[in-house]
Amino acid sequence: MTAQVYDLRDEDSLMQPALAAAAKAVSLHNYFIGGALFDSAGHLVAQAYGATVIAGEIFHGETQLAVLLRAGRASGVFPVDEWFTLVTTLQPCPQCRQICIQQKKLLVLYGAPTPTSGAELGDLLETYTNTEKRRIEENDGQPVVRPANLSAVVRQQCVEGHRQHRNPVLRVLDEVSMGLMPFTDLLELVETTDPTVIPRIRAFQDKRRGERV
Ligand SMILES: [Zn+2]
């Protein structure tokens, strides 16, 4: 099997695995929010979905993928000096945005704007922290979090998908939260294209833990 190589300039195509992850999220009673991580050659590294309902409030797809990138770089599984691209169907929430910005050489492209962001939240989202300023310098002065360049059709899939599935989730959120699956590990639900990635990260982590005792 030959792995598909994505053209990083074709942001419609980059959005496709993110949309697929969002569809999976909905099938598992979560919001329609999905993300995909690509390496600098255009290989799909991993997909993740916002598992807020089934796993807990911090299980946002962007956070899971940023944690994968960080852990993978620390383990030597991913290169430190290459750019990665994280594509998400929905504008990241403030905490995911910050977690992404804390990663070096990570570009974040989103589909739909956050429907709940009013002017005040919008201002907050646009606030450049010192970390973000460094990231922007690394990216030749260009923003590191920005809307994807999408065709109207694909953008509408992002917007409508979230809109259609949002209210039913909101209605059951408290009820379902009572029965959260006991996940505590942010890499538990990430689907990597290469199945050896997470075992290699685990092996590195276990080794380092062993060295410390
Ligand atoms: Zn988030």
Side-chain angles (χ1 to χ4, degrees):
M1 195 183 83
T2 313
Q4 185 181 351
V5 179
Y6 289 78
D7 179 352
L8 292 172
R9 295 162 302 182
D10 180 356
E11 297 178 6
D12 270 357
S13 80
L14 300 184
M15 191 59 76
Q16 299 311 311
L19 284 164
K24 179 168 185 183
V26 164
S27 75
L28 297 169
H29 312 292
N30 296 287
Y31 294 107
F32 185 90
I33 305 172
L37 182 68
F38 299 87
D39 69 14
S40 63
H43 298 112
L44 174 64
V45 174
Q47 291 160 277
Y49 55 88
T52 302
V53 177
I54 63 163
E57 289 70 18
I58 65 169
F59 274 75
H60 293 189
E62 304 93 316
T63 289
Q64 295 174 56
L65 293 171
V67 166
L68 176 72
L69 177 62
R70 181 68 181 86
R73 280 173 165 168
S75 308
V77 176
F78 301 144
V80 174
D81 55 350
E82 285 180 22
W83 280 87
F84 283 71
T85 303
L86 195 164
V87 180
T88 176
T89 59
L90 184 70
Q91 186 176 12
C93 73
Q95 66 258 28
C96 285
R97 188 178 198 280
Q98 191 59 28
I99 288 166
C100 288
I101 286 167
Q102 284 168 338
Q103 311 313 315
K104 291 178 179 170
K105 300 198 172 184
L106 175 63
L107 187 64
V108 179
L109 310 176
Y110 61 83
T114 305
T116 49
S117 67
E120 271 182 276
L121 181 56
D123 292 345
L124 176 67
L125 291 172
E126 292 309 318
T127 300
Y128 284 179
T129 63
N130 287 333
T131 309
E132 184 160 1
K133 282 180 186 163
R134 281 206 298 279
R135 297 292 168 260
I136 290 169
E137 281 167 19
E138 286 170 1
N139 195 29
D140 298 328
Q142 299 302 308
V144 288
V145 180
R146 65 162 174 82
N149 292 317
L150 299 176
S151 62
V153 171
V154 172
R155 183 176 305 283
Q156 196 59 14
Q157 285 178 300
C158 296
V159 171
E160 277 303 304
H162 188 261
R163 192 189 64 75
Q164 278 176 13
H165 297 285
R166 186 161 179 267
N167 287 336
V169 172
L170 286 177
R171 275 200 294 278
V172 299
L173 197 54
D174 289 339
E175 184 187 328
V176 177
S177 293
M178 300 301 287
L180 288 179
M181 292 183 197
F183 291 123
T184 56
D185 180 343
L186 280 162
L187 296 183
E188 189 98 23
L189 300 177
V190 177
E191 284 185 28
T192 58
T193 306
D194 173 352
T196 71
V197 164
I198 290 178
R200 283 151 69 203
I201 291 172
R202 299 290 189 222
F204 175 85
Q205 291 172 331
D206 288 346
K207 184 167 172 288
R208 291 301 297 268
R209 287 192 188 102
E211 285 166 3
R212 271 182 215 148
V213 289

